[in-house]
Amino acid sequence: MKDIAKLMDFRPSIKVVDATLRDGGLVNDFYFPEGFTKALYEANVKAGVDYMEFGYRADKEMFDVNKFGPSKFSDDDYIRSIVGENDTDLKIAIMADVGRCNYKQDIQDKANSPVDLIRVAAYLHQIPAAVEMIEDAHKKGYETSCNIMALSTGQENDIRAALDIIGKSSVDVIYIVDSYGSIYPEQMARVCNIFGEVAAKYDKKIGIHAHDNQKLAFANTIECVGDGVDYLDATYLSMGRGAGNCAMELLLGFLKNPKYKEFEAFKFVEYHMNKLKEEGVVWGYDLQYLMTGLLNQHPRTAIEFTKNKRKDYAEFYKELILLD
């Protein structure tokens, strides 16, 4: 049984991370309406959110800057154009994908950047490269996290070995990432135990980034809260790749810390997120994402199904089974 105090009281160590620009940007190639990012920043400040992820720091030699909005690259000048000197309690984060970020050149010293946290994203087989990036960011003065993607596809021994490697690094936070939305709360509790052992051994924090393929992103996030996980990712109106993520408005309403103001989340959804939906931006739970979640598959096929406006769900499920 969980310690009920972990659910009924608040832990000052809990940090809420807004990933709307980054994970949500995967839905619309990072093209957000004029004024959206500034309004999101202001909403996060008012809502008491702890970190705002501005997007990826993608390599401009690898990705065409003319095909994506600014949060694909989230360079320091762009971030400053929104936050100025950021004289607030809100910290700024960016994500750096292993193999897709020229981090030695494009991530400058923290003293010259508005960014506080570098979130390094990697698959299990990329952990040594992730550690190299983490150490580089740490030496430059940043807080760091390692977001281990697609955990549901890894073997426990491989996960434990990867965690041990990361635990020995300078990383501050190690993230559980349910990339395929395939993990159930009971399974998540066991994953938290594994990560928790490493956190205790190496004095690290643990985070959770959940996807909503089976409508369990919020359930898995609060499961993690009860298991001592401190860093909690969420997006407004669940906006994110495919089925989306844990909803910010749900999470802020659940957490007991009075500094979090869910009313500000409701206002931002009303005035900004609903407009995106009305303008035709598509994300969120649907049967095709449920199917890839059930089968523990990457949602790329479901995303293509959605783009093609297909409705032949049964046929699509048969196609997925043949892929297994």
Side-chain angles (χ1 to χ4, degrees):
M1 292 290 291
K2 287 182 172 44
D3 181 353
I4 193 67
K6 289 183 178 178
L7 298 176
M8 294 301 295
D9 200 358
F10 73 86
R11 297 198 308 275
S13 58
I14 282 181
K15 306 297 181 185
V16 173
V17 181
D18 168 39
T20 306
L21 284 180
R22 202 269 310 165
D23 215 318
L26 295 169
V27 173
N28 60 359
D29 290 331
F30 306 91
Y31 287 113
F32 291 93
E34 185 175 354
F36 180 94
T37 302
K38 182 69 171 180
L40 176 59
Y41 169 71
E42 292 173 350
N44 280 325
V45 171
K46 292 176 182 177
V49 170
D50 298 283
Y51 291 82
M52 177 176 170
E53 187 179 44
F54 261 74
Y56 290 98
R57 184 63 59 89
D59 187 348
K60 293 181 181 179
E61 295 295 320
M62 185 176 292
F63 297 94
D64 187 343
V65 295
N66 297 311
K67 293 182 178 179
F68 300 96
S71 287
K72 176 72 173 179
F73 308 97
S74 55
D75 59 52
D76 288 343
D77 288 341
Y78 170 67
I79 295 172
R80 282 197 187 93
S81 75
I82 303 297
V83 309
E85 296 302 316
N86 189 32
D87 187 22
T88 74
D89 292 331
L90 177 69
K91 291 186 175 184
I92 305 302
I94 59 169
M95 179 164 281
D97 270 349
V98 169
R100 298 180 180 181
C101 174
N102 186 357
Y103 63 95
K104 291 183 179 179
Q105 175 179 307
D106 293 340
I107 297 178
Q108 304 301 312
D109 287 349
K110 169 67 185 81
N112 303 318
S113 173
V115 175
D116 300 287
L117 169 65
I118 305 293
R119 285 155 52 98
V120 176
Y123 293 99
L124 284 171
H125 68 279
Q126 297 173 319
I127 294 303
V131 168
E132 184 175 297
M133 293 175 68
I134 288 163
E135 298 300 349
D136 179 80
H138 176 75
K139 289 175 184 176
K140 290 173 178 174
Y142 295 95
E143 300 172 38
T144 58
S145 76
C146 185
N147 295 36
I148 309 176
M149 299 184 290
L151 270 177
S152 58
T153 64
Q155 298 295 317
E156 182 175 330
N157 286 343
D158 292 338
I159 294 171
R160 287 184 179 276
L163 288 174
D164 197 59
I165 294 169
I166 298 167
K168 293 173 183 175
S169 77
S170 301
V171 78
D172 298 297
V173 188
I174 308 173
Y175 259 86
I176 301 164
V177 184
D178 184 16
S179 301
Y180 301 167
S182 296
I183 300 176
Y184 293 98
E186 188 277 335
Q187 295 171 311
M188 186 61 76
R190 287 185 274 128
V191 173
C192 288
N193 285 338
I194 294 170
F195 275 65
E197 291 172 8
V198 173
K201 180 178 179 181
Y202 294 107
D203 192 25
K204 308 296 183 183
K205 296 290 188 180
I206 302 299
I208 172 65
H209 180 88
H211 278 264
D212 213 22
N213 297 61
Q214 299 186 84
K215 297 191 75 66
L216 291 171
F218 176 57
N220 278 328
T221 300
I222 63 175
E223 171 70 37
C224 288
V225 172
D227 288 326
V229 172
D230 283 326
Y231 281 66
L232 314 175
D233 281 18
T235 62
Y236 287 87
L237 206 62
S238 298
M239 187 184 187
R241 184 204 64 195
N245 306 101
C246 174
M248 179 67 75
E249 55 275 15
L250 280 170
L251 183 60
L252 295 184
F254 166 79
L255 294 172
K256 305 305 184 288
N257 191 334
K259 82 169 187 173
Y260 296 127
K261 311 296 184 185
E262 65 268 23
F263 175 68
E264 298 298 334
F266 296 150
K267 285 201 300 183
F268 186 78
V269 169
E270 177 183 352
Y271 293 117
H272 297 280
M273 300 306 298
N274 285 340
K275 287 183 181 179
L276 292 181
K277 287 278 191 182
E278 291 166 3
E279 291 167 1
V281 182
V282 179
W283 75 87
Y285 170 84
D286 207 338
L287 286 181
Q288 61 270 30
Y289 297 118
L290 165 63
M291 294 171 189
T292 57
L294 285 171
L295 296 171
N296 196 21
Q297 293 181 7
H298 193 289
R300 62 175 62 91
T301 51
I303 292 170
E304 188 66 21
F305 180 96
T306 305
K307 285 182 178 178
N308 292 333
K309 299 183 179 180
R310 290 176 58 181
K311 296 296 181 183
D312 53 334
Y313 296 107
E315 181 62 30
F316 179 64
Y317 190 60
K318 288 193 290 183
E319 294 170 9
L320 292 178
I321 291 173
L322 291 176
L323 288 175
D324 250 10

